[in-house]
Coordinates of all heavy atoms in Angstrom, one line a residue:
M1 N -16.6 31.4 -22.6 CA -15.6 31.0 -21.8 C -15.7 32.0 -20.6 O -15.6 33.1 -20.7 CB -14.3 31.2 -22.5 CG -13.1 30.8 -21.8 SD -11.6 30.9 -22.7 CE -10.6 32.0 -21.7
K2 N -15.6 31.4 -19.4 CA -15.6 32.2 -18.2 C -14.1 32.3 -17.7 O -13.3 31.3 -17.8 CB -16.4 31.6 -17.2 CG -17.8 31.7 -17.4 CD -18.6 31.1 -16.2 CE -20.1 31.3 -16.5 NZ -21.0 31.0 -15.4
I3 N -13.8 33.4 -17.2 CA -12.5 33.6 -16.6 C -12.6 33.8 -15.1 O -13.4 34.6 -14.6 CB -11.8 34.8 -17.1 CG1 -11.6 34.7 -18.6 CG2 -10.5 35.2 -16.4 CD1 -11.0 35.9 -19.3
T4 N -11.8 33.1 -14.3 CA -11.9 33.2 -12.8 C -11.2 34.5 -12.4 O -10.4 35.1 -13.1 CB -11.2 32.0 -12.1 OG1 -9.8 32.1 -12.4 CG2 -11.8 30.7 -12.6
K5 N -11.5 34.9 -11.1 CA -10.8 36.0 -10.6 C -9.3 35.9 -10.6 O -8.5 36.8 -10.9 CB -11.3 36.3 -9.2 CG -12.7 36.9 -9.2 CD -13.1 37.2 -7.7 CE -14.5 37.8 -7.7 NZ -14.9 38.1 -6.3
R6 N -8.8 34.7 -10.3 CA -7.5 34.4 -10.2 C -6.8 34.5 -11.5 O -5.7 35.2 -11.7 CB -7.2 32.8 -9.7 CG -5.8 32.5 -9.4 CD -5.7 31.2 -9.0 NE -4.4 31.0 -8.4 CZ -4.0 29.8 -7.9 NH1 -4.9 28.8 -7.8 NH2 -2.7 29.6 -7.5
Q7 N -7.4 34.0 -12.6 CA -6.9 34.1 -13.9 C -6.9 35.6 -14.4 O -5.9 36.1 -15.0 CB -7.8 33.3 -15.0 CG -7.7 31.9 -14.8 CD -8.7 31.1 -15.6 OE1 -9.9 31.4 -15.7 NE2 -8.3 30.0 -16.2
L8 N -8.0 36.3 -14.1 CA -7.9 37.7 -14.4 C -6.9 38.5 -13.7 O -6.1 39.4 -14.4 CB -9.3 38.4 -14.0 CG -9.5 39.8 -14.4 CD1 -9.4 40.0 -15.9 CD2 -10.9 40.3 -14.0
R9 N -6.6 38.3 -12.5 CA -5.5 38.9 -11.7 C -4.2 38.5 -12.4 O -3.4 39.5 -12.6 CB -5.4 38.5 -10.2 CG -6.5 39.1 -9.5 CD -6.3 38.7 -8.0 NE -7.4 39.1 -7.2 CZ -8.3 38.3 -6.5 NH1 -8.1 37.0 -6.6 NH2 -9.3 38.8 -5.9
R10 N -3.9 37.3 -12.8 CA -2.7 36.9 -13.5 C -2.5 37.7 -14.8 O -1.5 38.1 -15.1 CB -2.7 35.4 -13.7 CG -1.3 34.9 -14.4 CD -1.3 33.4 -14.5 NE -2.6 32.8 -15.1 CZ -2.8 32.8 -16.5 NH1 -1.9 33.2 -17.2 NH2 -3.9 32.3 -16.8
I11 N -3.7 37.7 -15.6 CA -3.6 38.4 -17.0 C -3.3 39.9 -16.7 O -2.4 40.4 -17.4 CB -4.8 38.2 -17.7 CG1 -5.1 36.8 -18.1 CG2 -5.0 39.1 -18.8 CD1 -6.5 36.4 -18.6
I12 N -3.8 40.5 -15.7 CA -3.6 41.9 -15.4 C -2.1 42.2 -15.1 O -1.5 43.1 -15.5 CB -4.6 42.5 -14.4 CG1 -5.9 42.5 -15.0 CG2 -4.1 43.9 -13.9 CD1 -7.1 42.8 -14.0
K13 N -1.7 41.3 -14.1 CA -0.3 41.3 -13.7 C 0.7 41.2 -14.8 O 1.6 41.9 -15.0 CB 0.0 40.4 -12.5 CG 1.5 40.4 -12.0 CD 1.5 39.3 -10.9 CE 3.0 39.3 -10.3 NZ 3.2 38.4 -9.4
E14 N 0.5 40.2 -15.7 CA 1.3 39.9 -16.8 C 1.3 41.2 -17.8 O 2.4 41.7 -18.3 CB 0.9 38.7 -17.6 CG 1.3 37.4 -16.9 CD 0.6 36.2 -17.6 OE1 0.0 36.4 -18.7 OE2 0.8 35.1 -17.0
E15 N 0.2 41.7 -18.0 CA 0.1 43.0 -18.8 C 0.8 44.1 -18.3 O 1.5 44.9 -19.0 CB -1.4 43.3 -19.2 CG -1.6 44.3 -20.2 CD -1.1 43.9 -21.6 OE1 -1.0 42.7 -21.9 OE2 -0.6 44.9 -22.4
F16 N 0.6 44.3 -17.0 CA 1.4 45.4 -16.2 C 2.8 45.2 -16.4 O 3.6 46.2 -16.7 CB 1.0 45.5 -14.9 CG 1.6 46.5 -14.0 CD1 1.4 47.9 -14.2 CD2 2.7 46.1 -13.2 CE1 2.1 48.7 -13.4 CE2 3.4 47.0 -12.4 CZ 3.2 48.3 -12.6
L17 N 3.4 44.0 -16.1 CA 4.7 43.8 -16.2 C 5.3 44.0 -17.7 O 6.4 44.5 -17.9 CB 5.1 42.4 -15.8 CG 4.9 42.2 -14.3 CD1 5.2 40.7 -14.0 CD2 5.9 43.0 -13.5
R18 N 4.5 43.6 -18.7 CA 4.9 43.8 -20.0 C 5.1 45.4 -20.3 O 6.0 45.7 -21.0 CB 3.9 43.1 -20.9 CG 4.4 43.2 -22.3 CD 3.3 42.6 -23.3 NE 2.1 41.9 -22.8 CZ 1.8 40.7 -22.7 NH1 2.7 39.9 -23.3 NH2 0.7 40.2 -22.2
E19 N 4.1 46.1 -19.9 CA 4.1 47.5 -20.0 C 5.2 48.3 -19.3 O 5.8 49.2 -19.7 CB 2.8 48.2 -19.8 CG 1.6 47.9 -20.7 CD 0.4 48.4 -20.3 OE1 0.3 49.1 -19.2 OE2 -0.6 48.0 -21.0
A20 N 5.6 47.7 -18.1 CA 6.5 48.3 -17.3 C 8.0 48.1 -17.7 O 8.9 48.7 -17.3 CB 6.4 47.7 -15.8
A21 N 8.1 47.0 -18.5 CA 9.5 46.6 -19.1 C 10.1 47.8 -19.8 O 9.3 48.4 -20.6 CB 9.5 45.4 -19.8
D22 N 11.3 48.3 -19.6 CA 11.9 49.3 -20.3 C 12.8 48.8 -21.4 O 13.8 48.1 -21.2 CB 12.7 50.1 -19.3 CG 13.2 51.5 -20.0 OD1 13.4 51.5 -21.2 OD2 13.4 52.4 -19.2
P23 N 12.5 49.0 -22.7 CA 13.3 48.5 -23.8 C 14.8 49.0 -23.8 O 15.7 48.3 -24.2 CB 12.6 48.9 -25.0 CG 11.6 49.9 -24.7 CD 11.3 49.8 -23.2
K24 N 15.0 50.1 -23.3 CA 16.3 50.7 -23.1 C 17.3 49.9 -22.2 O 18.4 49.6 -22.4 CB 16.4 52.1 -22.8 CG 17.7 52.8 -22.9 CD 17.8 54.1 -23.7 CE 19.3 54.6 -23.6 NZ 19.4 55.8 -24.1
V25 N 16.6 49.4 -21.2 CA 17.4 48.5 -20.2 C 17.6 47.3 -20.9 O 18.7 46.7 -20.7 CB 16.5 48.3 -19.0 CG1 17.2 47.2 -18.0 CG2 16.4 49.5 -18.1
D26 N 16.8 46.7 -21.7 CA 17.1 45.5 -22.5 C 18.2 45.7 -23.5 O 19.0 44.8 -23.7 CB 15.8 45.0 -23.2 CG 14.7 44.6 -22.2 OD1 15.1 44.1 -21.0 OD2 13.5 44.5 -22.5
E27 N 18.2 46.9 -24.1 CA 19.3 47.2 -25.2 C 20.6 47.2 -24.3 O 21.6 46.6 -24.8 CB 19.1 48.6 -25.6 CG 18.1 48.7 -26.8 CD 18.0 50.2 -27.2 OE1 19.1 50.8 -27.4 OE2 17.0 50.6 -27.4
V28 N 20.7 47.8 -23.2 CA 21.9 47.8 -22.5 C 22.3 46.5 -21.9 O 23.5 46.1 -22.1 CB 21.8 48.8 -21.2 CG1 22.9 48.7 -20.2 CG2 21.6 50.3 -21.7
A29 N 21.4 45.7 -21.6 CA 21.6 44.3 -21.1 C 22.2 43.5 -22.2 O 23.1 42.6 -22.0 CB 20.4 43.7 -20.6
A30 N 21.7 43.7 -23.5 CA 22.2 42.9 -24.6 C 23.7 43.3 -24.9 O 24.5 42.4 -25.3 CB 21.4 43.3 -25.9
V31 N 24.1 44.6 -24.7 CA 25.5 44.9 -24.9 C 26.4 44.3 -23.8 O 27.5 43.8 -24.1 CB 25.7 46.5 -24.9 CG1 27.1 47.0 -25.1 CG2 24.9 47.1 -26.1
V32 N 25.8 44.4 -22.6 CA 26.6 43.8 -21.5 C 26.7 42.4 -21.7 O 27.8 41.7 -21.4 CB 25.9 44.2 -20.1 CG1 26.5 43.3 -19.0 CG2 26.0 45.6 -19.9
Q33 N 25.7 41.6 -22.1 CA 25.7 40.2 -22.3 C 26.8 39.8 -23.4 O 27.5 38.9 -23.3 CB 24.4 39.7 -22.8 CG 24.4 38.2 -23.0 CD 24.4 37.4 -21.7 OE1 23.7 37.6 -20.8 NE2 25.5 36.7 -21.6
A34 N 26.9 40.7 -24.5 CA 27.8 40.4 -25.5 C 29.3 40.6 -25.0 O 30.0 39.8 -25.2 CB 27.6 41.4 -26.7
A35 N 29.5 41.5 -24.0 CA 30.8 41.8 -23.4 C 31.2 40.6 -22.6 O 32.2 40.1 -22.6 CB 30.8 43.1 -22.6
V36 N 30.1 40.1 -21.7 CA 30.3 38.9 -20.9 C 30.7 37.7 -21.7 O 31.6 37.0 -21.4 CB 29.1 38.7 -19.9 CG1 29.2 37.4 -19.2 CG2 29.0 39.9 -19.0
D37 N 29.9 37.5 -22.8 CA 30.1 36.4 -23.6 C 31.4 36.3 -24.3 O 32.1 35.3 -24.6 CB 29.1 36.3 -24.7 CG 27.7 35.9 -24.2 OD1 27.6 35.4 -23.0 OD2 26.7 36.1 -24.9
S38 N 32.0 37.5 -24.7 CA 33.3 37.7 -25.3 C 34.5 37.5 -24.3 O 35.6 37.4 -24.8 CB 33.4 39.1 -26.1 OG 33.7 40.0 -25.0
G39 N 34.3 37.5 -23.0 CA 35.2 37.4 -22.0 C 35.9 38.7 -21.7 O 36.7 38.7 -20.9
S40 N 35.4 39.8 -22.2 CA 36.0 41.0 -21.9 C 35.0 41.9 -21.1 O 34.3 42.7 -21.8 CB 36.4 41.7 -23.2 OG 36.7 43.1 -23.0
S41 N 34.7 41.7 -19.9 CA 33.6 42.2 -19.3 C 34.0 43.0 -18.0 O 33.1 43.2 -17.2 CB 32.7 41.2 -18.8 OG 33.2 40.3 -17.9
A42 N 35.3 43.6 -18.1 CA 35.6 44.4 -16.8 C 34.7 45.6 -16.7 O 34.5 46.3 -17.7 CB 37.1 44.9 -16.9
I43 N 34.2 46.0 -15.6 CA 33.4 47.2 -15.4 C 34.1 48.5 -16.0 O 33.4 49.3 -16.4 CB 32.9 47.3 -14.0 CG1 31.8 48.4 -13.9 CG2 34.1 47.7 -13.0 CD1 30.5 48.0 -14.4
M44 N 35.5 48.5 -15.9 CA 36.1 49.7 -16.3 C 36.0 49.9 -17.8 O 36.2 51.0 -18.3 CB 37.6 49.7 -15.9 CG 37.9 49.9 -14.5 SD 37.7 48.3 -13.5 CE 39.2 47.4 -13.6
D45 N 35.8 48.8 -18.5 CA 35.7 48.8 -20.0 C 34.3 48.9 -20.5 O 34.0 49.2 -21.7 CB 36.4 47.7 -20.6 CG 37.9 47.5 -20.1 OD1 38.5 48.5 -19.9 OD2 38.3 46.4 -20.1
M46 N 33.3 48.7 -19.6 CA 32.0 48.6 -20.0 C 31.4 49.9 -20.6 O 30.6 49.9 -21.5 CB 31.1 48.1 -18.8 CG 29.7 47.6 -19.3 SD 29.9 46.1 -20.3 CE 30.6 44.9 -19.2
A47 N 31.9 51.0 -20.1 CA 31.4 52.4 -20.6 C 31.8 52.5 -22.0 O 31.0 53.0 -22.9 CB 31.9 53.5 -19.7
G48 N 33.0 52.0 -22.4 CA 33.5 52.1 -23.8 C 32.7 51.3 -24.7 O 32.4 51.7 -25.8
K49 N 32.4 50.0 -24.2 CA 31.5 49.2 -25.1 C 30.1 49.8 -25.2 O 29.6 49.7 -26.4 CB 31.5 47.9 -24.4 CG 32.9 47.1 -24.3 CD 32.8 45.8 -23.6 CE 34.0 45.1 -23.4 NZ 35.2 45.4 -24.4
L50 N 29.5 50.4 -24.2 CA 28.2 50.9 -24.3 C 28.2 52.1 -25.3 O 27.3 52.4 -26.0 CB 27.6 51.2 -22.9 CG 27.3 49.9 -22.2 CD1 27.1 50.3 -20.7 CD2 25.9 49.4 -22.7
Q51 N 29.3 53.0 -25.2 CA 29.5 54.1 -26.0 C 29.6 53.7 -27.5 O 28.9 54.4 -28.4 CB 30.7 54.9 -25.6 CG 30.5 55.7 -24.3 CD 31.8 56.3 -23.8 OE1 32.9 56.1 -24.3 NE2 31.7 57.0 -22.6
A52 N 30.4 52.6 -27.7 CA 30.5 52.1 -29.1 C 29.1 51.7 -29.6 O 28.9 51.7 -30.9 CB 31.5 51.1 -29.2
A53 N 28.3 51.2 -28.7 CA 26.9 50.9 -29.2 C 25.9 52.0 -29.3 O 24.8 51.8 -29.5 CB 26.4 49.8 -28.2
G54 N 26.4 53.2 -29.0 CA 25.5 54.4 -29.2 C 24.9 54.9 -27.9 O 24.0 55.8 -28.0
H55 N 25.4 54.5 -26.7 CA 24.8 55.0 -25.5 C 25.7 56.0 -24.9 O 26.9 55.9 -25.0 CB 24.6 53.8 -24.5 CG 23.7 52.7 -25.0 ND1 22.2 52.9 -24.9 CD2 23.9 51.6 -25.6 CE1 21.7 51.8 -25.5 NE2 22.7 50.9 -25.9
N56 N 25.1 57.0 -24.2 CA 25.9 57.9 -23.4 C 26.3 57.5 -22.1 O 25.9 58.0 -21.1 CB 25.0 59.2 -23.4 CG 25.8 60.5 -22.9 OD1 27.1 60.5 -22.9 ND2 25.2 61.5 -22.5
A57 N 27.3 56.6 -22.1 CA 27.7 55.8 -20.9 C 28.7 56.5 -20.3 O 29.7 57.1 -21.0 CB 28.0 54.4 -21.1
E58 N 28.9 56.5 -18.9 CA 29.9 57.2 -18.1 C 30.3 56.2 -17.0 O 29.5 55.7 -16.3 CB 29.4 58.5 -17.6 CG 30.5 59.2 -16.6 CD 29.9 60.4 -16.0 OE1 28.6 60.6 -16.0 OE2 30.7 61.1 -15.6
Y59 N 31.6 55.9 -16.9 CA 32.2 55.0 -15.7 C 32.3 55.9 -14.5 O 32.9 57.1 -14.7 CB 33.5 54.5 -16.2 CG 34.2 53.7 -15.1 CD1 33.7 52.5 -14.6 CD2 35.3 54.2 -14.5 CE1 34.4 51.8 -13.5 CE2 35.9 53.6 -13.4 CZ 35.5 52.4 -13.0 OH 36.1 51.7 -11.9
L60 N 31.9 55.5 -13.4 CA 31.9 56.2 -12.1 C 32.6 55.4 -11.1 O 32.2 54.1 -11.0 CB 30.6 56.7 -11.7 CG 29.9 57.6 -12.6 CD1 28.4 57.8 -11.9 CD2 30.5 58.9 -12.7
S61 N 33.5 55.9 -10.2 CA 34.1 55.1 -9.1 C 34.2 56.0 -7.9 O 34.6 57.2 -8.1 CB 35.4 54.7 -9.6 OG 36.0 54.0 -8.6
G62 N 33.9 55.5 -6.8 CA 34.0 56.3 -5.6 C 33.3 55.6 -4.5 O 32.3 54.8 -4.6
A63 N 33.8 55.8 -3.2 CA 33.2 55.2 -2.0 C 33.1 53.8 -2.1 O 32.1 53.2 -1.6 CB 31.9 55.9 -1.8
G64 N 34.1 53.1 -2.8 CA 34.1 51.7 -2.9 C 33.1 51.1 -3.9 O 33.0 49.9 -4.0
M65 N 32.5 51.9 -4.8 CA 31.5 51.5 -5.7 C 32.0 51.8 -7.1 O 32.6 52.9 -7.3 CB 30.1 52.1 -5.5 CG 29.5 51.9 -4.2 SD 28.9 50.2 -4.0 CE 27.5 50.3 -5.2
R66 N 31.9 50.9 -8.0 CA 32.2 51.1 -9.3 C 30.9 50.8 -10.2 O 30.4 49.7 -10.0 CB 33.4 50.3 -9.9 CG 34.6 50.7 -9.1 CD 35.8 49.8 -9.6 NE 35.6 48.4 -9.2 CZ 36.4 47.4 -9.6 NH1 37.5 47.7 -10.4 NH2 36.1 46.2 -9.2
M67 N 30.7 51.7 -11.1 CA 29.5 51.4 -11.9 C 29.6 52.2 -13.2 O 30.3 53.2 -13.4 CB 28.2 51.8 -11.1 CG 28.0 53.2 -10.8 SD 26.5 53.4 -10.0 CE 26.6 55.2 -9.6
V68 N 28.6 51.9 -14.1 CA 28.5 52.7 -15.4 C 27.0 53.2 -15.4 O 26.1 52.4 -15.0 CB 28.7 51.7 -16.6 CG1 28.4 52.5 -18.0 CG2 30.1 51.2 -16.6
Q69 N 26.8 54.5 -15.7 CA 25.5 55.0 -15.8 C 25.2 55.6 -17.2 O 26.1 56.1 -17.8 CB 25.2 56.0 -14.6 CG 25.9 57.3 -14.8 CD 25.5 58.2 -13.6 OE1 25.0 57.9 -12.6 NE2 25.8 59.5 -13.9
I70 N 24.0 55.5 -17.5 CA 23.5 56.1 -18.8 C 22.3 57.0 -18.4 O 21.3 56.4 -17.9 CB 23.2 54.9 -19.7 CG1 24.4 54.1 -20.0 CG2 22.6 55.6 -21.1 CD1 24.0 52.8 -20.7
P71 N 22.4 58.2 -18.8 CA 21.2 59.1 -18.5 C 20.0 58.6 -19.3 O 20.0 58.1 -20.4 CB 21.6 60.4 -19.0 CG 23.1 60.5 -19.1 CD 23.4 59.0 -19.4
H72 N 18.8 58.5 -18.6 CA 17.5 58.0 -19.1 C 16.4 58.8 -18.5 O 16.6 59.5 -17.6 CB 17.5 56.6 -18.7 CG 16.2 55.9 -19.3 ND1 16.1 55.8 -20.6 CD2 15.3 55.1 -18.8 CE1 15.1 55.2 -21.0 NE2 14.6 54.6 -19.8
G73 N 15.4 58.8 -19.2 CA 14.2 59.6 -18.9 C 13.7 59.5 -17.4 O 13.3 60.5 -16.8
R74 N 13.7 58.3 -16.8 CA 13.3 58.1 -15.5 C 14.4 58.1 -14.4 O 14.3 57.8 -13.3 CB 12.6 56.7 -15.3 CG 11.4 56.6 -16.2 CD 10.7 55.3 -15.9 NE 11.6 54.2 -16.0 CZ 11.3 53.0 -15.6 NH1 10.1 52.7 -15.1 NH2 12.1 52.0 -15.7
G75 N 15.6 58.7 -14.8 CA 16.8 58.7 -13.9 C 18.1 58.3 -14.8 O 18.3 58.9 -15.8
N76 N 18.7 57.2 -14.3 CA 19.8 56.7 -14.9 C 19.7 55.2 -15.0 O 19.4 54.5 -14.2 CB 21.2 57.0 -14.2 CG 21.5 58.5 -14.2 OD1 21.4 59.1 -15.3 ND2 21.6 58.9 -13.0
I77 N 20.2 54.6 -16.1 CA 20.2 53.2 -16.3 C 21.7 52.8 -15.7 O 22.7 53.5 -16.1 CB 20.2 52.7 -17.7 CG1 18.7 52.9 -18.2 CG2 20.4 51.2 -17.7 CD1 18.5 52.6 -19.6
V78 N 21.7 51.9 -14.8 CA 23.0 51.7 -14.1 C 23.4 50.2 -14.3 O 22.6 49.3 -14.2 CB 22.8 52.0 -12.6 CG1 24.1 51.6 -11.8 CG2 22.5 53.4 -12.3
V79 N 24.8 50.1 -14.6 CA 25.4 48.7 -14.7 C 26.3 48.6 -13.5 O 27.2 49.5 -13.4 CB 26.2 48.5 -15.9 CG1 26.8 47.1 -16.0 CG2 25.3 48.7 -17.2
I80 N 26.0 47.7 -12.5 CA 26.8 47.6 -11.2 C 26.9 46.1 -10.9 O 26.1 45.3 -11.4 CB 26.0 48.5 -10.3 CG1 26.9 48.6 -9.0 CG2 24.7 47.8 -9.9 CD1 26.4 49.6 -8.1
S81 N 27.8 45.8 -10.0 CA 28.1 44.5 -9.6 C 26.7 44.0 -9.0 O 26.1 44.7 -8.1 CB 29.1 44.4 -8.6 OG 29.1 43.2 -7.9
K82 N 26.3 42.7 -9.3 CA 25.0 42.2 -8.7 C 25.1 42.0 -7.2 O 24.2 41.9 -6.5 CB 24.6 41.0 -9.4 CG 25.5 39.8 -9.2 CD 24.9 38.6 -10.0 CE 25.9 37.3 -9.8 NZ 25.4 36.2 -10.7
N83 N 26.3 42.0 -6.7 CA 26.6 41.7 -5.3 C 26.5 43.1 -4.5 O 26.4 43.0 -3.3 CB 28.0 41.2 -5.0 CG 28.2 39.9 -5.6 OD1 27.2 39.1 -5.8 ND2 29.4 39.5 -6.1
A84 N 26.4 44.2 -5.2 CA 26.2 45.5 -4.5 C 24.9 46.0 -4.4 O 24.6 47.0 -3.8 CB 27.1 46.5 -5.3
V85 N 24.0 45.3 -5.0 CA 22.5 45.7 -4.9 C 21.6 44.5 -4.6 O 22.0 43.4 -4.6 CB 22.1 46.2 -6.3 CG1 22.9 47.4 -6.7 CG2 22.1 45.2 -7.3
E86 N 20.4 44.9 -4.2 CA 19.3 44.0 -3.9 C 18.3 44.0 -5.1 O 17.5 45.0 -5.2 CB 18.6 44.2 -2.6 CG 17.9 43.1 -2.1 CD 17.5 43.3 -0.6 OE1 18.3 43.7 0.2 OE2 16.3 43.1 -0.3
P87 N 18.5 43.0 -6.1 CA 17.6 43.2 -7.3 C 16.1 43.1 -7.0 O 15.7 42.5 -6.1 CB 18.1 42.0 -8.2 CG 19.4 41.4 -7.5 CD 19.3 42.0 -6.0
D88 N 15.3 43.9 -7.8 CA 14.0 43.9 -7.8 C 13.4 43.3 -9.1 O 14.1 42.8 -9.9 CB 13.4 45.3 -7.4 CG 13.7 46.3 -8.5 OD1 14.1 45.9 -9.6 OD2 13.5 47.5 -8.2
G89 N 12.2 43.4 -9.3 CA 11.5 42.8 -10.4 C 11.9 43.5 -11.7 O 11.9 42.9 -12.8
D90 N 12.4 44.8 -11.7 CA 12.8 45.4 -12.9 C 14.3 45.4 -13.1 O 14.9 45.8 -14.2 CB 12.5 46.9 -12.7 CG 11.0 47.2 -12.5 OD1 10.3 46.4 -13.2 OD2 10.7 48.1 -11.8
T91 N 15.1 44.6 -12.4 CA 16.5 44.5 -12.4 C 16.8 43.3 -13.4 O 16.3 42.3 -13.2 CB 17.2 44.3 -11.1 OG1 16.8 45.3 -10.2 CG2 18.8 44.2 -11.2
V92 N 17.7 43.5 -14.3 CA 18.2 42.4 -15.2 C 19.5 42.0 -14.7 O 20.4 42.8 -14.5 CB 18.2 42.9 -16.7 CG1 18.8 41.8 -17.6 CG2 16.8 43.5 -17.1
I93 N 19.7 40.8 -14.5 CA 21.0 40.3 -14.2 C 21.7 39.6 -15.3 O 21.2 38.7 -16.0 CB 20.9 39.1 -13.0 CG1 20.0 39.6 -11.9 CG2 22.2 38.4 -12.6 CD1 20.8 40.7 -11.1
V94 N 22.9 40.1 -15.6 CA 23.7 39.5 -16.8 C 25.1 39.2 -16.2 O 25.8 40.1 -15.8 CB 23.8 40.6 -17.8 CG1 24.7 40.0 -18.9 CG2 22.5 40.9 -18.4
G95 N 25.4 37.9 -16.1 CA 26.7 37.5 -15.6 C 27.0 38.2 -14.2 O 26.1 38.0 -13.3
P96 N 28.0 38.9 -14.0 CA 28.2 39.4 -12.7 C 27.6 40.8 -12.3 O 27.8 41.4 -11.4 CB 29.7 39.5 -12.7 CG 30.1 39.9 -14.1 CD 29.1 39.0 -14.9
Y97 N 26.7 41.2 -13.3 CA 26.2 42.6 -13.3 C 24.7 42.5 -13.0 O 24.0 41.7 -13.6 CB 26.5 43.3 -14.5 CG 28.0 43.5 -14.7 CD1 28.7 42.9 -15.8 CD2 28.8 44.3 -13.9 CE1 30.0 42.9 -16.0 CE2 30.1 44.3 -14.1 CZ 30.7 43.7 -15.2 OH 32.1 43.8 -15.2
A98 N 24.2 43.7 -12.4 CA 22.8 43.9 -12.4 C 22.6 45.3 -13.2 O 23.3 46.2 -13.0 CB 22.4 44.3 -10.8
I99 N 21.6 45.3 -14.0 CA 21.2 46.4 -14.8 C 19.8 46.8 -14.5 O 18.9 46.0 -14.5 CB 21.3 46.0 -16.3 CG1 22.8 45.5 -16.6 CG2 21.1 47.2 -17.2 CD1 22.9 44.6 -17.7
G100 N 19.6 48.0 -14.2 CA 18.3 48.7 -13.9 C 18.3 50.1 -13.8 O 19.4 50.8 -14.1
V101 N 17.1 50.7 -13.6 CA 17.0 52.2 -13.6 C 17.1 52.6 -12.1 O 16.5 52.0 -11.2 CB 15.6 52.6 -14.1 CG1 15.3 54.1 -13.9 CG2 15.4 52.1 -15.6
M102 N 17.9 53.6 -11.9 CA 18.1 54.3 -10.6 C 17.7 55.7 -10.7 O 18.2 56.4 -11.6 CB 19.6 54.0 -10.2 CG 19.9 54.6 -8.8 SD 21.5 54.2 -8.2 CE 22.5 55.4 -9.2
G103 N 16.9 56.1 -9.8 CA 16.5 57.5 -10.0 C 15.7 57.9 -9.0 O 15.1 58.7 -8.5

């Protein structure tokens, strides 16, 4: 079986994206999704929900921004309004929130 250059590039890109995905971001996204699904998803309460799930979350507010951050090896995992950021390929969107690594 022969593989074209295009197929090889696609395979490499998919493998890179799979390796680049951060499982901790996915964990945080799952907790945020559960909060959104339950109807109790205020950003002020999100830190408590993440703490109950075992994350070292902290609610921050200032300069017109409200967010929750969790210390992580590459910086901080941040939960913030999706309207306050420009999502990239590593950002997970859950309901009204964007979740990603900031650092």
Side-chain angles (χ1 to χ4, degrees):
M1 179 175 126
K2 291 187 176 184
I3 297 177
T4 66
K5 287 182 182 182
R6 185 178 193 180
Q7 290 171 321
L8 181 59
R9 284 187 190 116
R10 183 178 47 84
I11 291 168
I12 291 169
K13 182 178 179 182
E14 287 173 0
E15 190 62 30
F16 175 75
L17 290 174
R18 187 182 357 245
E19 290 175 6
D22 191 332
K24 185 133 182 185
V25 171
D26 292 336
E27 278 180 44
V28 171
V31 174
V32 172
Q33 183 67 59
V36 169
D37 290 346
S38 74
S40 172
S41 64
I43 190 73
M44 290 81 89
D45 303 328
M46 200 59 68
K49 294 177 186 331
L50 288 161
Q51 288 169 356
H55 299 282
N56 185 19
E58 176 184 18
Y59 171 74
L60 300 170
S61 176
M65 299 287 286
R66 296 181 294 172
M67 66 180 173
V68 175
Q69 74 176 14
I70 300 167
H72 187 53
R74 298 188 307 170
N76 291 308
I77 296 175
V78 176
V79 179
I80 192 167
S81 169
K82 68 181 179 185
N83 297 328
V85 297
E86 200 167 311
D88 61 13
D90 297 327
T91 304
V92 177
I93 303 295
V94 176
Y97 299 112
I99 303 153
V101 177
M102 183 172 75

